[in-house]
Amino acid sequence: MIDNIPLPATDDPIDSEYWKGTLKSKLLLQCCRRCGRKRFPPRPMCPDCQHADHTWEEVSGRGRIWSFTAPQSPLLPAFEALKPYVTALVQLEEDPSLRIVGPVLYEPRGNIQGVEASRVYIGQKVSVTFKDYSEDVAMPCWVLQSDN
Ligand SMILES: [Zn+2]
């Protein structure tokens, strides 16, 4: 658990399945029933074909860093206590247009605090893990993989 960080609401019908998945260490994305395209973040309608029906499908959780930052002060007080840390935008291997943000870890279930930006680079392989932020919120985090 991490104290005092602002947490998302997990009971919105648009994305509640996503949050249920993260609690089970699964990365679930909406998949359009008409065109089959996956989308993130969750939304009511497919951005490609405007169809509303969808399923939820688990994706691999593997991807590459598309961008990252090492936030500096001033930060919200809850994040100030965590620095240094790195937050990455990761493109999933299933579809590079699917990008998910999260903190970078050296190892599964590792610490957010203490990750050095000098060890992170664009294109680096990562895999998802999940960190409990409260009893009903687990957030995806990205574990650095050894070089290709
Ligand atoms: Zn579609």
Side-chain angles (χ1 to χ4, degrees):
M1 306 276 192
I2 299 173
D3 294 328
N4 303 320
I5 290 180
L7 297 176
T10 59
D11 59 350
D12 186 316
I14 296 298
D15 62 4
S16 63
E17 286 301 313
Y18 172 79
W19 295 114
K20 287 177 189 171
T22 64
L23 286 173
K24 298 175 188 169
S25 296
K26 293 182 177 191
L27 195 55
L28 302 177
L29 300 187
Q30 290 173 307
C31 182
C32 177
R33 282 190 191 269
R34 180 185 284 163
C35 74
R37 188 101 191 257
K38 291 180 180 65
R39 60 184 187 257
F40 187 85
R43 59 195 99 166
M45 183 180 291
C46 175
D48 294 308
C49 75
Q50 290 73 52
H51 195 65
D53 285 349
H54 64 272
T55 59
W56 288 90
E57 294 188 9
E58 185 174 5
V59 292
S60 68
R62 291 186 299 271
R64 291 182 182 268
I65 291 177
W66 187 77
S67 186
F68 67 95
T69 187
Q72 304 294 313
S73 298
L75 298 168
L76 291 173
F79 295 99
E80 184 74 34
L82 291 176
K83 72 176 198 184
Y85 65 95
V86 174
T87 298
L89 186 58
V90 170
Q91 55 185 177
L92 299 180
E93 73 175 15
E94 284 87 354
D95 180 343
S97 72
L98 297 169
R99 297 181 188 137
I100 300 179
V101 70
V104 173
L105 311 176
Y106 289 135
E107 58 193 42
R109 309 274 177 192
N111 290 324
I112 293 170
Q113 184 178 31
V115 173
E116 297 292 336
S118 62
R119 294 189 50 190
V120 180
Y121 57 88
I122 304 295
Q124 192 168 12
K125 285 185 175 180
V126 293
S127 63
V128 75
T129 189
F130 298 90
K131 204 162 185 65
D132 294 334
Y133 279 58
S134 74
E135 288 183 8
D136 60 350
V137 177
M139 301 284 268
C141 301
W142 301 103
V143 181
L144 299 176
Q145 301 300 295
S146 57
D147 281 338
N148 321 310

